[in-house]
Structures are given as C-alpha cells and as structure tokens.
Amino acid sequence: MKAEIKDILVRCAASTAFHAKFFFPEIFRTNFHNLHREILNKIDSTEKKVVIAAPRGIGKTSIMLYGLASRQILFEQKKFIVYLSNSAENAVLQTDSLKYELLSNPLIRKFFGSIKTSRIEVEYEEQFSKKAWITSGGTLVLPRGMGQQIRGLLYRSRRPDLIIIDDYEDKDEITNEKLSL
C-alpha cells in the first residue's frame, strides 16, 4: 500500500493533470482535450514565464487554482504565490475557494493532513484570513486586484515565486467587434 501511495504522490508532484484529476475529480469531471493538454504541458514545462490565452469557459481558472496552485502548495514547491485578478474582491473569492477546497477535501486531508498552519506568530494573528493566508508548509497565498501593488513584494526575504494573472481585464472595458452582414 505504501508503494502505491508513494507512486500516486510522485505522479501528482510531477503532473498538474494527474494531480487535478486525482485530488479534484468533482471539478475535473471530463477528460482533458487537446487545448487543455497544451495548457497543462506549458504549465509543467521548465519555462519560467508562461502565457496562456484560450477561449472563455474552458477551465483556465480551475486549472490554475486547483491544478497548478494547489500542487505547488501541497508539495511545497512554491513559497509565495500571488493571485492577480481584475478586482481584489474576485482575487479574494478565488483564493478563498482554493483554501476551502484544500481544507475540506478528504483526499487532501488523508495524504497531507491539514494545510492550516498551527504556528502562532504575533505578527500574523489572522494568518489564515481572506486577505492572505499561510499554509502549514509555509506558503503565503496573496490575492491582489488590478491596481494593487505587486512590484517589490517581499515575504520573509522571499519574492513571489509564482504569480498567476487570471481574468485581469475588466469585462466592461473590453470591446468586441461584431461582424455585421
């Protein structure tokens, strides 16, 4: 049994797709198609900067949060994650949803225990708040909205090592040209 668990964890640590399907089957109910696989391959590549542009509604946010960010948190691969969205409210909502999934998911609790830190630090009385949260592995997750400061961020001598920019544009400011016949 231990070999099977180790194999699952090794596969999850190496593959965003496997991790997402294994730990979040209710979110990733259907098979990944070609565009998903392209996105997942880019995410898992060794490239330092990856830009993904794809149609609305294919699951980019879910892949970024529940695939990539959760994997980086659970396997302690990143220590300072900034999630940037068009508004602070949306960024908080998305990262709070991720936090909820990480705390309530029975498979995650079985394999990793609680991600909620038990450390008591005077400077971070609300270290598991909506504004920012620190996991038991020491990863800080910081939601930010358009216009909020991200340049120069520093947490315990660390700069952000993963920045996810998701739906950064304001839908009211986007104009779509309609083809008229």
Side-chain angles (χ1 to χ4, degrees):
M1 185 65 158
K2 287 189 179 196
E4 182 182 337
I5 290 172
K6 183 179 178 183
D7 180 55
I8 289 169
L9 290 174
V10 166
R11 290 180 68 190
C12 285
S15 168
T16 301
F18 188 83
H19 171 85
K21 289 280 195 179
F22 183 79
F23 284 109
F24 302 99
E26 70 287 350
I27 294 172
F28 300 99
R29 292 182 298 272
T30 61
N31 291 331
F32 292 125
H33 58 70
N34 289 340
L35 186 52
H36 289 128
R37 284 191 289 280
E38 282 182 50
I39 292 169
L40 291 159
N41 287 338
K42 277 287 192 191
I43 290 170
D44 289 346
S45 75
T46 57
E47 295 178 48
K48 288 191 176 254
K49 296 179 183 179
V50 175
V51 176
I52 297 166
R56 296 195 65 75
I58 69 156
K60 296 180 300 295
T61 299
S62 294
I63 289 171
M64 292 294 119
L65 284 171
Y66 305 109
L68 178 63
S70 71
R71 183 170 63 92
Q72 301 296 324
I73 290 167
L74 293 172
F75 289 97
E76 300 179 17
Q77 296 170 331
K78 301 294 181 194
K79 291 296 182 182
F80 190 174
I81 298 173
V82 176
Y83 182 86
L84 192 58
S85 191
N86 63 343
S87 71
E89 293 81 15
N90 189 49
V92 166
L93 178 69
Q94 297 294 0
T95 57
D96 207 46
S97 292
L98 172 62
K99 178 174 56 174
Y100 173 81
E101 287 293 330
L102 292 174
L103 287 169
S104 65
N105 185 309
L107 274 176
I108 289 173
R109 292 187 67 80
K110 177 181 175 183
F111 280 81
F112 297 96
S114 177
I115 63 137
K116 189 170 183 178
T117 185
S118 59
R119 295 181 300 220
I120 299 173
E121 299 173 6
V122 176
E123 69 217 84
Y124 288 105
E125 277 190 30
E126 292 184 21
Q127 52 184 300
F128 225 66
S129 73
K130 289 181 184 277
K131 292 180 184 176
W133 40 282
I134 304 167
T135 68
S136 58
T139 301
L140 171 67
V141 178
L142 180 66
R144 297 303 246 188
M146 185 170 22
Q148 286 188 294
Q149 180 68 31
I150 58 166
R151 185 179 174 146
L153 288 175
L154 193 62
Y155 166 66
R156 294 187 178 168
S157 75
R158 292 191 177 154
R159 301 279 183 198
D161 50 1
L162 176 62
I163 299 173
I164 298 171
I165 303 171
D166 186 31
D167 289 333
Y168 196 65
E169 69 282 342
D170 184 343
K171 67 179 181 180
D172 294 332
E173 294 179 12
I174 298 174
T175 57
N176 292 324
E177 293 182 13
K178 291 187 178 183
L179 184 64
S180 58
L181 300 175

